[in-house]
């Protein structure tokens, strides 16, 4: 007997649409299959057998996050193929900060009305993010929420697991004055501060398809630009350099995120004049009359991640990052102090 509930459908949930969505997304999931995947999509749990070769004490590292209100831009533009990259990025960029390699990912989509093609498009972005970060998409869930969400609305979140040998976990206690602070460039706003972005640009009524000379693209294209995934270049730099701290610059900006890897008694002294800040941030600050402090306390300002390395290893780290396609440059140094971060 086929699985079908007319009563459930009359209440707003279409079971068959869910099955169709799973069928359509399988081709995207297949792109993420890496050694270690045991299960296939559609089971009750995702199975993964990690390769522990060479690890004396493997440690699992997990991270979870969502795309936030950036999703509203995608909904307004009816463009749903990139926010999945943001979802993966927000999770895997966190777990690499301790030196872990992402191994698998699961997603969760709550949606007002299950449209199989839209769900599959969302998952295609998740799959692309997994490919970029070298991890497998081994499962997920799509939940139809009639009556609590509008038909066009959805919320995308995810969960990543990585692994690292305990001996290779980044040790912040080894940080010393004179260490170098390296900036890894962002692709733009990434996935934080979008409640303020939406307010400043009045996105519900703005022409998101209008070309903006200052940006070199349309406003919608800029605001939907996917979060950069730093996994491969960061892990490559960790292989060749003495890394003492890594920070993912997300909500809270410089002031909240950089201190998370700074031991007491030390301060990351950042040279603001060295920053290469994309035009979108200047446009946002100007149009919203946002104080500079609030900009640096909300946005990445063109720096999606910072890496603190021993001074003698700075050139090696920069070379490894650039060899792996990541623009990076020095923006400061570690000094003695109690502030943990100072922008000068």
């Amino acid at each position: 007997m086929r699985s079908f509930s007319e009563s459930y459908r009359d209440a707003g949930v279409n079971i068959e649409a869910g099955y169709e969505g799973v069928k359509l997304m399988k081709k995207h999931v297949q792109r993420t299959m890496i050694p270690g995947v045991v299960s296939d999509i559609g089971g009750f749990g995702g199975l993964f057998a990690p390769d522990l070769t060479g690890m004396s004490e493997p440690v699992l590292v997990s991270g979870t996050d969502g795309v936030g209100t950036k999703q509203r831009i995608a909904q307004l533009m009816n463009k749903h193929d990139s926010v999945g990259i943001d979802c993966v990025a927000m999770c895997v960029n966190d777990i690499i900060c301790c030196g872990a390699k992402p191994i698998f990912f699961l997603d969760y989509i709550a949606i007002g009305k299950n449209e199989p093609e839209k769900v599959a498009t969302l998952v295609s972005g998740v799959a692309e993010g997994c490919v970029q970060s070298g991890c497998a998409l081994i499962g997920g869930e799509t939940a139809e929420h009639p009556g609590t969400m509008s038909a066009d609305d959805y919320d995308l979140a995810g969960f990543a697991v990585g692994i690292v040998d305990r001996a290779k976990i980044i040790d912040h206690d080894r940080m010393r004055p004179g260490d170098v602070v390296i900036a890894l460039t962002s692709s733009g706003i990434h996935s934080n501060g979008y409640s303020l972005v939406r307010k400043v640009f009045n996105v519900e009524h703005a022409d998101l398809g209008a070309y903006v000379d200052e940006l070199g693209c349309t406003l919608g294209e800029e605001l939907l630009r996917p979060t950069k995934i730093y996994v491969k270049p960061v892990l490559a730099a960790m292989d060749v350099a003495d890394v003492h701290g890594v920070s993912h610059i997300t909500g809270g900006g410089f002031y909240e995120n950089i201190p998370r890897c700074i031991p007491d008694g030390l301060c990351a002294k950042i040279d603001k004049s060295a920053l290469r800040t994309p035009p979108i941030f200047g446009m946002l600050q100007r149009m919203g009359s946002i104080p500079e402090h609030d900009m640096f306390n909300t946005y990445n300002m063109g720096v999606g991640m910072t890496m603190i390395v021993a001074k003698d290893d700075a050139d090696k780290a920069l070379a490894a990052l650039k060899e792996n396609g990541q623009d990076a440059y020095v923006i400061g140094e570690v000094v003695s102090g109690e502030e943990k971060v100072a922008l000068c």
Side-chain angles (χ1 to χ4, degrees):
M1 181 181 292
R2 71 190 182 97
S3 177
F4 173 73
S5 171
E6 188 170 338
S7 299
Y8 206 10
R9 186 181 66 178
D10 289 345
V13 177
N14 188 339
I15 295 174
E16 291 189 314
Y19 298 152
E20 180 65 19
V22 171
K23 184 189 301 183
L24 293 175
M25 68 177 70
K26 280 191 173 183
K27 65 181 180 181
H28 304 299
V29 175
Q30 191 61 39
R31 296 180 57 218
T32 76
M33 294 297 98
I34 61 174
V37 176
V38 176
S39 58
D40 191 11
I41 195 79
F44 285 98
L47 280 66
F48 193 91
D51 181 3
L52 306 181
T53 304
M55 293 189 181
S56 59
E57 194 175 355
V59 176
L60 294 178
V61 182
S62 60
T64 185
D65 209 336
V67 184
T69 63
K70 183 175 185 175
Q71 293 165 138
R72 183 57 184 158
I73 312 295
Q75 291 159 10
L76 289 169
M77 296 180 65
N78 194 29
K79 187 178 186 303
H80 312 289
D81 60 347
S82 65
V83 287
I85 300 174
D86 293 290
C87 186
V88 175
M90 296 305 291
C91 298
V92 297
N93 285 345
D94 276 355
I95 65 177
I96 61 171
C97 290
C98 68
K101 172 181 170 51
I103 53 176
F104 64 79
F105 190 86
L106 291 89
D107 62 6
Y108 177 84
I109 303 169
I111 192 163
K113 180 181 179 181
N114 192 338
E115 299 176 32
E117 293 80 7
K118 180 187 286 186
V119 171
T121 300
L122 286 167
V123 173
S124 74
V126 175
E128 174 59 26
C130 288
V131 169
Q132 290 183 25
S133 56
C135 67
L137 177 56
I138 63 170
E141 176 70 13
T142 302
E144 200 166 11
H145 288 185
T148 63
M149 302 175 75
S150 67
D152 292 334
D153 198 12
Y154 59 80
D155 188 33
L156 175 61
F159 176 86
V161 171
I163 193 167
V164 61
D165 198 353
R166 183 182 288 272
K168 293 186 177 181
I169 294 175
I170 302 301
D171 184 359
H172 302 154
D173 290 338
R174 296 171 56 238
M175 196 175 296
R176 296 289 184 270
D179 284 356
V180 171
V181 183
I182 294 174
L184 282 64
T185 59
S186 71
S187 55
I189 300 175
H190 283 182
S191 301
N192 300 103
Y194 269 79
S195 293
L196 181 54
V197 166
R198 290 184 301 112
K199 176 185 176 183
V200 170
F201 292 119
N202 191 22
V203 298
E204 297 294 327
H205 305 287
D207 183 358
L208 296 174
Y211 187 86
V212 181
D213 287 339
E214 185 176 352
L215 301 176
C217 61
T218 69
L219 178 60
E221 287 171 338
E222 182 63 43
L223 297 185
L224 263 191
R225 198 180 298 279
T227 304
K228 186 171 287 190
I229 292 176
Y230 297 101
V231 173
K232 294 177 181 179
V234 166
L235 293 178
M238 289 177 177
D239 282 341
V240 299
D242 186 10
V243 178
H244 296 163
V246 180
S247 291
H248 183 200
I249 311 302
T250 56
F254 282 52
Y255 288 109
E256 182 178 315
N257 292 290
I258 294 178
R260 292 168 68 176
C261 79
I262 308 293
D264 291 343
L266 295 179
C267 172
K269 184 179 178 182
I270 308 298
D271 179 5
K272 287 189 295 185
S273 68
L275 298 178
R276 304 169 188 172
T277 305
I280 184 61
F281 295 103
M283 186 176 174
L284 182 62
Q285 182 176 7
R286 184 178 68 252
M287 292 182 63
S289 299
I290 303 171
E292 182 184 73
H293 177 276
D294 290 2
M295 291 295 296
F296 279 97
N297 212 157
T298 307
Y299 299 107
N300 66 61
M301 303 301 284
V303 180
M305 185 164 280
T306 58
M307 177 178 289
I308 296 176
V309 303
K311 185 175 182 179
D312 290 344
D313 280 2
D315 288 342
K316 286 188 286 187
L318 288 167
L321 292 167
K322 291 175 182 178
E323 285 170 7
N324 284 272
Q326 176 58 53
D327 289 335
Y329 60 101
V330 174
I331 58 169
E333 64 175 338
V334 174
V335 298
S336 297
E338 299 302 323
E339 290 184 275
K340 295 213 172 183
V341 62
L343 276 62
C344 307

